[in-house]
Amino acid sequence: MGVLNVTPDSFSDGGRYDSFAAAVQHGTSLIRDGAQLVDVGGESTRPGAARVPAVTEIGRVVPVIEALSAQNVPTSIDTTRAEVAAAALAAGAQVVNDVSGGLADPAMVKVVADAGCPFVIMHWRAHSADMQSRAVYSDVVTEVRDELSRRVDDALAAGVRAERIILDPGLGFAKLPEHNWELTRHLDRLIELGFPVLYASSRKSYLGRLLAGPDGEPRPVDGREAATVATSVLAVAAGAWGVRVHDVRATVDAIAVWRATGAPELTWRPA
Ligand code: PMM
């Protein structure tokens, strides 16, 4: 999954693809680089980010999804709003990627059930403005697993089919660096739930913290690529179904190396 943020303020690529032409061009280049799905988002979820109105979000993502769909580029819509998901699906998006797993908007699961599309359920506790105050766990792996299971139950109750569900631990969302590493170490415990697992570490701040210089300053976003590739390949080798990254080519190359050692091919199949 290649990341396409059509926002002025996302943490790593905000402002780069917020014009229509730049966004469409970047979406097609992600596919050329080997992405199987382009994840289009119109609202930044970086810690502390303010919300934008739904109409703004729709105005950012719908024209881009329409243009990419016209070029047969498969897209997912990265949103927590049912209204935005519905507009994106009507414009040609094939997957709903909800970082709140249906928690932020109770109407989301119905939209997904009616569309019959794949649904990425990410672990989430609160909107960006106050999510880091919710990063309190006694056993992060068990709690994330249990909270995700409740989101799965809600989706199933609304009519989402089990084979359409994908789980995501939500790295960096109400998580401290140690929580992200603990979830990475125990990815098998999420995979055990029986759903495909998406791992999305790309350029996140816990990688910057890991790579901090002698002055203790986190490594800036543009220096986190090798760590992104390493975590993504380790996740795939541990059984993740997919990875969500900004620099698709580097990760695809690394997965090709891993596959050359005898590992199976990874293919995203639209349901
Ligand atoms: N992270 C971001 C946005 N969308 N979706 C899923 N499924 N998982 C994530 O971890 C996730 C996401 C924030 O990162 P970005 O600003 O680089 O898009």
Side-chain angles (χ1 to χ4, degrees):
M1 179 188 274
V3 180
L4 177 56
N5 287 319
V6 195
T7 56
D9 58 344
S10 285
F11 78 95
S12 81
D13 54 359
R16 252 189 247 178
Y17 311 116
D18 62 347
S19 83
F20 170 77
V24 175
Q25 194 272 331
H26 189 60
T28 53
S29 78
L30 290 169
I31 294 291
R32 270 199 306 280
D33 286 348
Q36 293 173 354
L37 188 60
V38 173
D39 190 38
V40 183
E43 181 178 58
S44 172
T45 50
R46 75 183 153 72
R51 302 219 61 197
V52 298
V55 62
T56 306
E57 206 184 329
I58 290 173
R60 288 174 181 173
V61 297
V62 162
V64 173
I65 290 170
E66 271 170 357
L68 290 173
S69 301
Q71 297 182 52
N72 294 320
V73 171
T75 54
S76 51
I77 172 66
D78 183 349
T79 187
T80 58
R81 289 184 169 119
E83 187 187 347
V84 177
L89 290 165
Q94 298 180 23
V95 175
V96 172
N97 171 28
D98 180 351
V99 299
S100 82
L103 197 54
D105 184 344
M108 181 64 95
V109 281
K110 175 82 167 57
V111 166
V112 174
D114 288 350
C117 65
F119 185 35
V120 179
I121 296 181
M122 196 194 84
H123 178 263
W124 181 95
R125 284 184 163 178
H127 282 291
S128 301
D130 46 24
M131 69 178 170
Q132 287 315 85
S133 67
R134 306 289 305 277
V136 181
Y137 302 87
S138 55
D139 174 349
V140 67
V141 178
T142 303
E143 286 168 60
V144 165
R145 226 176 101 118
D146 291 352
E147 288 168 36
L148 278 174
S149 295
R150 285 201 283 280
R151 304 269 43 86
V152 168
D153 290 345
D154 267 17
L156 294 174
V160 177
R161 299 206 339 251
E163 63 272 24
R164 297 288 192 267
I165 293 175
I166 297 147
L167 299 182
D168 181 330
L171 304 169
F173 287 80
K175 316 279 179 333
L176 301 175
E178 60 264 34
H179 301 137
N180 298 320
W181 291 119
E182 190 70 6
L183 287 161
T184 301
R185 262 194 295 281
H186 297 289
L187 210 57
D188 58 314
R189 296 212 33 228
L190 263 197
I191 294 168
E192 264 169 28
L193 292 176
F195 299 97
V197 168
L198 179 67
Y199 186 88
S201 62
S202 194
R203 301 180 181 168
K204 287 191 174 167
S205 66
Y206 73 106
L207 303 180
R209 294 275 175 78
L210 176 77
L211 304 173
D215 57 0
E217 279 303 303
R219 176 87 61 84
V221 161
D222 62 4
R224 301 176 188 169
E225 218 43 67
T228 297
V229 172
T231 46
S232 298
V233 173
L234 287 170
V236 169
W241 159 88
V243 289
R244 178 183 183 278
V245 295
H246 299 84
D247 181 351
V248 167
R249 178 171 293 183
T251 296
V252 166
D253 286 357
I255 290 173
V257 169
W258 175 71
R259 278 191 49 217
T261 66
E265 184 173 3
L266 299 173
T267 310
W268 177 72
R269 291 185 186 81

